[in-house]
Amino acid sequence: MGVTVGPPILMINHGSTFMSTDLGGEIHPQSHLGIFADDTRFLSHYACYVDGNSWIRLTSATTTYYSARVYLINPPFISQQGTVAQGDLSLIISRTVQEGIHEDLDITNNACQPLKFNLEIALASDFADIFEVESQQYVRRGRMETRWREAENQLETSYENNSFHRRLIYQPCNFSSKPHYANGRVIFEISLEPSQTWHTCCKYHLIDHQHVREAVDFCYQAMLDPSSINTEIERLHSQWRESVTDIVCGNEDAVRLYRQSIEDLGSLRLYDYDFEPDIWLPAAGVPKFVTLFGRDSLIISLQNMIVHPGFARGALQKLGQLQATELDEWRDAQPGKILHEVRQGELAYFGKVPHTPYYGTADATPLFLITLHETWKWLGDDSLLQNNRDIALRCLEWIDNYGDLDGDGFQEYETQSSQGIENQGWKDSGDAVVYPDGSQVKAPKALCELQGYVFDAWMRMAEVFDVLGERNFAEELRTKAAKLQVRFEEHFWSEDLDCYVFALDPEKQQVRSLTSNVGHCLWSGIASPERADRVVKRLMQPDMWSGWGIRTLSTENHAYNPYSYHLGSVWPHDNGIIAMGFKRYGFAAEVAEIAHGIFDAAKYFTSYRLPELFAGIKREPGAFPVPYIEANVPQGWAAASVFHLIQAMLGLQADAPNGLLYVDPHLPKWLPEIELQHVEIGNCHVDLQFWREGEVTHWDAVVKSGEVEVKRQCWHAEAQRR
């Protein structure tokens, strides 16, 4: 019997606007739901009634990432004409988001006699900051005013706090019975003959100072006639679909997962940041992270290389523009540092939070360098290196001057801001870094993966500065990387754990917790080849391997909680990075096992949408993946983890500057064949076909445009050379 799990909400989004409701299409006060744009909640309450009675939900779904539909019927109630039986009336709510929200309400009389009733819509706005919504702690500021404008048939709620202004206009239109407003509700008096349908459109216009996010002016019914559709939103999404690598595969689950991930990545495009039509920048995730993030944007860019390598241009360009230039303890900024997060809500506007932008991340700066190099390897565009040379130099200077807090050669972090983030690696929740007994590690903290990221950044930048003709500097970087690798082995390896440790604490003592972070050390290449097999085996032991993925923390740790954010959960993007690390050292069978776990988990989630994370419970008969209670869906690096897993199984490596694409495929029995169409490398496009015969994976390549040579080369050869 099929089991499908997913969040109990309807979420639609486009750009920086999104709407989240319960499955009945309503928004309850004191919930996390609402209509949001630019980190402000414009609508905090929505409920729909028939003569004061709540409707009964039959079913509901998101039909595209930007539209949803809800089917409702009436409960039994007493009207002026007598008893109205349950189901005599049906209501369909259809919503579409573009800039604002367009809503269609359609009521049909299914009874054998005429019916007269009131449709009542309750609305309220709190204009809360996204941080307040998340914490459920609200501070009353400014002044709010609601007006019903009779002549325009619209409800206008405005908020003003000195120079900070927000306004929501709710505008019914295309109706046959005129609305009025009383007691906080917009009311329609409706009379219907048997089988007759009543309709109205309702537009939600979101106004931010002088920026008006206006609702699309068309009815949902127009979607039945493609020629009548407002095509802007579909044009933008089609542009994304047409630019990416497609998949052909006999495994239907793999195809659905891949294509849903393509849809999710397209849905997260932040159009406000577009530089050119083909330069993309993703939001991290909906609903909490609909904004620019350093770490997330860079990792998503890395994951997308086999899908659309140009995706990274937007992240590199915008993050480079916002690179820190001065010391600012409030924002945890130092010269050369790449930002963590940007916010545009009221708290950021008045400087109540440091996110303007906030720079409290220890890994975004080396990840910027890694992404710059990898993008160049896929695009072959030397101007990318030249244009980013000075930004890269400032990143390298930050690593030396500020990333290493005490001059011991390792990367550490410690917030300087009174509202800074305690943990500044990818596991950035406040309780994420623990000793084996479950107690918290104090700052400064030297995470194992940070050392790997810097090692990888130095090695990649050495190649970059060779190309730029600065060979002496390139050799300096290689020397520094080699020294770091030796010291990493001395200080982070634990013989009795048979693995690298999580971190070094303030006294430079080992934090001997077993975590998924060590898998990132394989991805970066800092781990010694002699010890890589021990790390792989340790991560695949039952205390780390759940059956659906590698857990963030061992079940043997006293802080282990499979339902937590970072203390034993499974993150798809984390597993994708680990799989890339396994492949780097030649562990193809284990790569396939991780991919199988994540792919199997995805089958349980609604529409094959991988959530940000799910519980680290053991896979056993009768069990199914359980999403984290507040997981973002869609979430950028969760969706794009699929691409990393496929890249790892196929062993795809680009060397566009030299006109080469390398493959090293190992297909498992559960995925005996796969074809990637329209793979972009440099100015070329190639179709790649892989199939399994016995225990051997074969491949073929057809160059569709340009000139590129496709060759077989083992990934682990590079690790051995290092």
Side-chain angles (χ1 to χ4, degrees):
M1 189 172 187
V3 176
T4 301
V5 295
I9 61 173
L10 296 175
M11 177 75 69
I12 56 176
N13 69 285
H14 183 69
S16 60
T17 303
F18 66 92
M19 182 177 189
S20 55
T21 71
D22 66 16
L23 295 178
E26 297 193 332
I27 300 166
H28 298 282
Q30 289 79 51
S31 73
H32 295 85
L33 307 176
I35 294 178
F36 295 78
D38 291 331
D39 301 325
T40 297
R41 178 162 66 178
F42 283 79
L43 187 69
S44 55
H45 175 52
Y46 179 98
C48 194
Y49 305 95
V50 53
D51 275 6
N53 300 280
S54 297
W55 294 82
I56 298 171
R57 171 183 168 266
L58 297 177
T59 190
S60 57
T62 53
T63 52
T64 67
Y65 76 85
Y66 53 82
S67 60
R69 179 171 275 204
V70 184
Y71 290 88
L72 306 146
I73 59 173
N74 69 284
F77 67 93
I78 305 297
S79 73
Q80 296 180 31
Q81 301 155 293
T83 300
V84 179
Q86 178 174 307
D88 277 358
L89 296 170
S90 58
L91 167 62
I92 302 174
I93 303 176
S94 307
R95 294 182 175 128
T96 303
V97 56
Q98 188 161 314
E99 287 288 323
I101 307 289
H102 181 100
E103 178 178 81
D104 293 300
L105 303 177
D106 294 279
I107 301 177
T108 301
N109 180 4
N110 303 307
C112 296
Q113 67 277 351
L115 294 176
K116 186 175 182 179
F117 56 91
N118 286 345
L119 175 68
E120 306 165 21
I121 300 170
L123 304 123
S125 301
D126 62 3
F127 298 101
D129 189 281
I130 189 75
F131 288 115
E132 294 179 314
V133 177
E134 183 177 347
S135 67
Q136 293 288 283
Q137 296 178 353
Y138 303 97
V139 176
R140 292 296 180 189
R141 295 178 294 268
R143 182 167 59 90
M144 208 165 341
E145 186 175 283
T146 298
R147 292 181 179 178
W148 174 253
R149 299 190 179 276
E150 188 74 28
E152 294 85 3
N153 295 307
Q154 66 185 38
L155 184 68
E156 181 177 312
T157 303
S158 60
Y159 175 76
E160 182 176 315
N161 182 10
N162 294 318
S163 57
F164 184 84
H165 306 281
R166 294 290 186 270
R167 187 155 49 109
L168 171 67
I169 295 176
Y170 175 78
Q171 183 182 32
C173 54
N174 300 327
F175 45 74
S176 56
S177 52
K178 186 177 176 66
H180 65 276
Y181 182 72
N183 296 321
R185 298 183 180 187
V186 177
I187 302 170
F188 297 89
E189 297 176 356
I190 302 173
S191 297
L192 287 177
E193 296 296 320
S195 302
Q196 185 180 3
T197 295
W198 174 91
H199 170 80
T200 187
C201 298
C202 302
K203 300 177 183 178
Y204 299 79
H205 305 299
L206 318 178
I207 301 169
D208 168 2
H209 296 283
Q210 301 303 314
H211 183 192
V212 179
R213 298 183 181 275
E214 190 170 349
V216 179
D217 189 19
F218 73 102
C219 291
Y220 192 91
Q221 286 91 331
M223 298 187 74
L224 300 175
D225 177 11
S227 64
S228 67
I229 298 175
N230 180 305
T231 59
E232 178 63 12
I233 189 169
E234 187 57 38
R235 182 191 67 78
L236 291 167
H237 199 55
S238 295
Q239 177 190 20
W240 163 247
R241 288 195 200 100
E242 292 166 3
S243 68
V244 301
T245 299
D246 196 11
I247 185 176
V248 177
C249 179
N251 185 324
E252 187 61 28
D253 291 319
V255 172
R256 290 179 179 179
L257 174 57
Y258 182 93
R259 289 182 176 164
Q260 183 59 54
S261 295
I262 292 292
E263 293 296 301
D264 285 349
L265 264 295
S267 77
L268 291 170
R269 177 175 176 176
L270 290 171
Y271 297 93
D272 293 345
Y273 287 101
D274 284 1
F275 297 101
E276 297 176 21
D278 61 342
I279 294 183
W280 303 69
L281 188 62
V286 180
K288 295 181 182 178
F289 305 132
V290 186
T291 187
L292 173 63
F293 270 75
R295 176 193 307 118
D296 294 62
S297 297
L298 293 166
I299 288 179
I300 292 168
S301 297
L302 288 167
Q303 293 168 317
N304 270 275
M305 290 300 166
I306 71 165
V307 171
H308 183 43
F311 194 98
R313 286 188 185 271
L316 292 169
Q317 187 168 341
K318 192 62 185 179
L319 293 173
Q321 287 179 358
L322 296 174
Q323 185 179 37
T325 58
E326 59 186 9
L327 283 169
D328 185 342
E329 290 189 356
W330 168 241
R331 297 188 297 146
D332 273 335
Q334 301 99 28
K337 199 175 188 182
I338 299 300
L339 67 83
H340 171 61
E341 179 182 1
V342 180
R343 291 294 182 176
Q344 301 177 65
E346 184 177 10
L347 295 180
Y349 184 87
F350 287 112
K352 301 296 184 181
V353 294
H355 298 69
T356 56
Y358 177 59
Y359 290 85
T361 171
D363 52 11
T365 306
L367 285 171
F368 181 94
L369 299 173
I370 292 168
T371 305
L372 173 61
H373 173 270
E374 188 69 7
T375 306
W376 168 67
K377 294 293 280 187
W378 278 91
L379 294 180
D381 182 1
D382 288 353
S383 69
L384 190 68
L385 306 183
Q386 295 159 359
N387 294 339
N388 285 279
R389 175 189 175 276
D390 292 344
I391 297 171
L393 282 174
R394 289 192 290 270
C395 287
L396 292 166
E397 290 169 359
W398 178 87
I399 289 171
D400 289 340
N401 298 331
Y402 299 101
D404 182 0
L405 295 179
D406 55 11
D408 68 344
F410 292 128
Q411 296 289 296
E412 305 94 2
Y413 64 79
E414 181 175 25
T415 183
Q416 302 299 312
S417 175
S418 60
Q419 291 197 34
I421 296 175
E422 168 68 20
N423 288 314
Q424 300 190 357
W426 83 261
K427 294 177 182 175
D428 56 5
S429 56
D431 61 355
V433 183
V434 294
Y435 290 104
D437 66 0
S439 61
Q440 294 294 312
V441 179
K442 295 181 179 180
K445 310 169 195 183
L447 302 180
C448 62
E449 78 269 22
L450 294 181
Q451 320 316 315
Y453 295 167
V454 167
F455 170 83
D456 196 18
W458 281 343
M459 293 297 291
R460 290 172 181 266
M461 285 299 104
E463 184 177 358
V464 165
F465 281 96
D466 273 338
V467 171
L468 293 174
E470 301 177 52
R471 291 182 174 80
N472 290 337
F473 184 50
E475 283 307 308
E476 288 180 26
L477 293 172
R478 290 190 179 92
T479 300
K480 289 165 68 173
K483 290 180 179 178
L484 175 59
Q485 190 172 34
V486 170
R487 298 192 70 246
F488 177 79
E489 292 292 334
E490 292 173 351
H491 290 80
F492 280 82
W493 179 256
S494 171
E495 191 65 28
D496 56 329
L497 285 180
D498 220 22
C499 196
Y500 297 103
V501 297
F502 187 7
L504 302 182
D505 69 12
E507 282 69 49
K508 300 302 177 182
Q509 298 301 305
Q510 292 184 342
V511 178
R512 296 165 55 78
S513 297
L514 186 61
T515 66
S516 62
N517 302 56
V518 299
H520 293 226
C521 297
L522 300 180
W523 174 61
S524 66
I526 196 172
S528 70
E530 297 76 21
R531 287 171 170 164
D533 64 327
R534 298 168 70 177
V535 174
V536 172
K537 290 175 182 176
R538 188 64 193 85
L539 288 177
M540 298 306 292
Q541 292 298 306
D543 65 315
M544 289 298 294
W545 173 248
S546 74
W548 283 305
I550 292 173
R551 299 181 179 95
T552 47
L553 182 69
S554 167
T555 60
E556 298 173 357
N557 192 290
H558 284 244
Y560 169 73
N561 179 351
Y563 304 101
S564 68
Y565 200 55
H566 288 129
L567 298 174
S569 53
V570 173
W571 288 64
H573 94 280
D574 188 31
N575 278 262
I577 288 174
I578 294 170
M580 292 283 282
F582 282 12
K583 182 70 171 186
R584 182 171 194 156
Y585 288 83
F587 294 91
E590 289 79 3
V591 169
E593 189 170 359
I594 293 176
H596 197 199
I598 297 295
F599 277 50
D600 272 1
K603 292 188 292 187
Y604 288 90
F605 295 113
T606 304
S607 302
Y608 289 75
R609 261 187 163 176
L610 281 168
E612 179 184 14
L613 70 154
F614 52 90
I617 58 176
K618 180 182 178 182
R619 182 175 183 175
E620 56 189 3
F624 49 84
V626 178
Y628 180 69
I629 192 169
E630 295 179 11
N632 286 269
V633 183
Q635 208 261 1
W637 63 15
S641 64
V642 176
F643 312 146
H644 251 172
L645 292 167
I646 291 174
Q647 182 178 3
M649 285 190 288
L650 302 182
L652 300 181
Q653 285 182 291
D655 186 10
N658 293 306
L660 294 169
L661 175 63
Y662 297 110
V663 299
D664 181 22
H666 176 87
L667 291 179
K669 291 181 180 179
W670 59 270
L671 190 68
E673 48 83 22
I674 187 172
E675 181 179 353
L676 299 183
Q677 297 179 336
H678 199 71
V679 178
E680 180 182 353
I681 175 169
N683 295 319
C684 310
H685 291 91
V686 59
D687 290 351
L688 299 171
Q689 189 174 14
F690 305 88
W691 67 97
R692 177 186 168 103
E693 292 181 1
E695 298 298 316
V696 179
T697 299
H698 301 270
W699 62 275
D700 190 25
V702 177
V703 178
K704 309 297 287 188
S705 64
E707 294 184 9
V708 62
E709 183 180 2
V710 183
K711 299 173 65 175
R712 184 162 194 153
Q713 175 176 290
C714 294
W715 269 27
H716 65 276
E718 179 189 9
Q720 295 290 345
R721 284 197 300 271
R722 285 188 177 175

